[in-house]
Amino acid sequence: MDADMDTSSSPLARLSISLPAELMSQLDAMVAERGLPSRSQMIAELIRHELAEHSGERPDAMLAGTITLIYRAESGRVRHALAQTQLGYVKEVISAQNVFLEDDQAMEVLLVQGPAERLQQLCDDLRKVRGVQQIKLVTTTALLPPLHFHGDGPDGESLE
């Protein structure tokens, strides 16, 4: 197995694994299709994804991520209902991007951060909006740096 993973943040640890030949062939095909330099990079990505999923199972875990929604764009009713739902999660929703698609559909991508349980509740509440056709939460355990706090001065110093 290749050991040329991201060396910029931590020392490397070597792992040797045995796989069925068919699984190894599928892995090699995926590495080639994605243009990655090594199996190690692909396996590290898969492990990071699974670790984030595992962390998301703990309700108190702090996560950052995206929520992607596909919905009917009909006369703005659905978009308004989505915005109203997001108002209840103002601490978790950092930004939103909307784009209109073909066939009277729209896509919205929310950048979110907060406790796993709260992010899942946000997804559940958005899913209840009539007209939402697809929704997916993708998370990571890496967090955004602290944002501005009320009362902060221009250099981040407290004004109190």
Side-chain angles (χ1 to χ4, degrees):
M1 184 138 132
D2 303 71
D4 52 322
M5 294 183 299
D6 179 22
T7 59
S8 61
S9 60
S10 65
L12 293 177
R14 188 169 294 274
L15 170 69
S16 177
I17 62 172
S18 298
L19 298 173
E22 179 61 24
L23 188 57
M24 180 72 110
S25 295
Q26 291 173 341
L27 176 65
D28 286 342
M30 184 188 304
V31 168
E33 287 171 15
R34 293 187 180 183
L36 297 174
S38 68
R39 292 180 190 139
S40 292
Q41 192 169 348
M42 184 77 251
I43 290 170
E45 180 182 330
L46 294 170
I47 290 171
R48 283 187 199 102
H49 176 74
E50 286 303 312
L51 288 171
E53 288 285 320
H54 179 71
S55 293
E57 294 170 5
R58 294 190 342 257
D60 61 333
M62 286 294 289
L63 303 172
T66 59
I67 298 173
T68 303
L69 302 116
I70 305 295
Y71 61 91
R72 289 197 310 264
E74 60 187 45
S75 71
R77 181 196 60 77
V78 179
R79 189 171 181 185
H80 177 74
L82 292 172
Q84 289 301 115
T85 301
Q86 290 172 37
L87 282 175
Y89 295 88
V90 72
K91 287 184 177 181
E92 291 77 22
V93 178
I94 295 164
S95 70
Q97 179 73 43
N98 294 285
V99 65
F100 292 102
L101 306 173
E102 296 178 331
D103 302 323
D104 195 37
Q105 290 185 315
M107 178 169 47
E108 182 165 355
V109 179
L110 306 176
L111 176 59
V112 296
Q113 181 168 292
E117 186 174 46
R118 187 87 171 134
L119 298 182
Q120 192 56 58
Q121 185 62 52
L122 171 57
C123 275
D124 292 344
D125 288 349
L126 292 168
R127 187 175 282 114
K128 294 174 190 172
V129 173
R130 189 168 173 243
V132 171
Q133 298 171 333
Q134 296 177 41
I135 185 168
K136 180 152 179 109
L137 170 65
V138 176
T139 60
T140 181
T141 54
L143 299 177
L144 296 167
L147 302 174
H148 294 283
F149 294 99
H150 185 68
D152 282 353
D155 59 357
E157 301 270 333
S158 178
L159 296 176
E160 296 175 16

